[in-house]
Amino acid sequence: MEIASVGNLNFDVYLRVSELPGPDENAEVLDLYTGGGGSAANFAVAAARLGLAPRFIGAVGEDPLGEISLRELREEGVDVTYVKRIAGVRSGLVVVLVHPDGVKRMLSYRGANLGLAPGDLTPEKFRGVRHIHLATGRTELILKAKEVAREVGASLSVDGGTALAKKGLDIVRPAVEGVDVLFMNQAEARLLAGSHDHRTAVEKLARELRVGELVVTLGARGAAAYGGGKLLHVDAFRVDAVDTTGAGDCFAAAYIAMHLRGRDPYEKLLFANAAAAIKVTRPGARSSPRYAEVEAFLAS
Ligand code: ATP
């Protein structure tokens, strides 16, 4: 089943350091890992592994990093035909400093990602698509995607991240109105609702936002979903988590895979919770599982 994922594509560089350098100091890097990243691209890869046929809609520069990032997506079975190539701009890059205390410090260069404009979301690029997932906090893209989704008859999900939550309810409310599924993590839900407690935040957002389903991931506490007047919660599976990077993207892709199969809200939540639990046991932003692995995990 064809779907589209719209938003960021990055090249991620992880540097494991024993200490963070002070001004004018040099700190040694103990280990280096590179891999594809960017929320929309991670979602597309996770969706492909779960048996969907995703196309990625985003932008890269005309540089080697962009080529590597696109090749990685192609190798995962993601269609990159409609990726915009922008001359004179560098592709998105994220540098993550991983300290032994487990704390990560990230430096993001959005580069070509910023060149994706509402005018790039033309209906022709979405023909034949059953679902559009938007992983961006840019409201101008969300508004345009809503138009296109209506035109091509696709359902729509949005994961706006911190960038969207920071905008506040007055801006977010009209932007997401009518969206089928809205994803956020607990920090974003609390920020947007102006509440310290995630449960109060979910309840407030469920009242304030007119979306089909509101899905809030709660990290090691699982996830909650509000839809059709009902609030559901699942506890996280007990696993040895080694890397939660991209867990939210994997969760969203698995939830949408079940949504498109017409599963009930509890089944969607459970399947996504299982897929994300498998992901966190493996390093890397794109270490999401295949469909059969999730089924086997749930049956075990
Ligand atoms: P990211 O931004 O890194 O993609 P996120 O903050 O959007 O992540 P989280 O809420 O941290 O997303 O996690 C998403 C899902 O991953 C959770 O809802 C849960 O299903 C699973 N998960 C995360 N951490 C754990 C854990 N320690 N054990 C089991 N499952 C986990």
Side-chain angles (χ1 to χ4, degrees), residues 185 217-220 222-223 236-237 239 241 244-249 251 272-273 276-277 280:
N185 68 21
T217 60
L218 305 168
F237 288 98
V239 292
T244 61
T245 316
D249 305 323
F251 184 100
N273 197 36
V280 302

Side-chain angles (χ1 to χ4, degrees), residues 12 25 90 161-162 220 272:
D12 289 353
E25 274 179 16
R90 297 263 172 188
T162 316

Side-chain angles (χ1 to χ4, degrees), residues 30 35 42 45 71 77 85 95 139 183 190 225-226 250 275 280 284 294:
L30 305 174
N42 295 344
V45 169
R71 192 179 66 222
R85 287 172 175 76
V95 177
T139 48
F183 293 102
R190 287 199 300 256
Y226 188 88
C250 169
V280 302
V294 186

